[in-house]
Amino acid sequence: GYAFVNFVTGDWADHCLSILSGYTFKKHQQKARTKVATVSVAHLQGLEANLRHYENSAVNGRARSKVCGPVVMTSIASAITTA
């Protein structure tokens, strides 16, 4: 899976990078393949620019057909209170 995170400051981005780079998702392992997080800086920066870019993408189209798709959270607090 993929996640795009729009950090408010570079310090938070660096912090996330240091924690998630190489992180092993223990719950989601398969015998033949280890799932390890890879973190990189996106070629396209900014929430609005990414929303415009992906709104008509093939990934978004497939997600719509499966009744699931991108989730945009303006803050983690809103995600926690509505979950």
Side-chain angles (χ1 to χ4, degrees):
Y2 296 90
F4 297 91
V5 181
N6 193 45
F7 291 101
V8 181
T9 68
D11 288 340
W12 279 110
D14 291 339
H15 182 66
C16 182
L17 182 110
S18 69
I19 291 172
L20 287 179
S21 289
Y23 179 82
T24 302
F25 294 90
K26 293 170 184 67
K27 261 185 141 175
H28 304 282
Q29 295 304 315
Q30 300 171 356
K31 289 180 183 179
R33 191 169 64 158
T34 303
K35 295 187 183 256
V36 178
T38 302
V39 181
S40 61
V41 176
H43 70 280
L44 188 61
Q45 294 294 307
L47 176 62
E48 289 80 15
N50 274 281
L51 289 173
R52 277 193 308 276
H53 177 76
Y54 287 104
E55 73 181 351
N56 295 317
S57 71
V59 171
N60 200 27
R62 282 194 302 267
R64 250 184 263 120
S65 68
K66 294 180 181 178
V67 193
C68 64
V71 175
V72 177
M73 294 178 270
T74 56
S75 74
I76 192 68
S78 66
I80 293 169
T81 57
T82 59

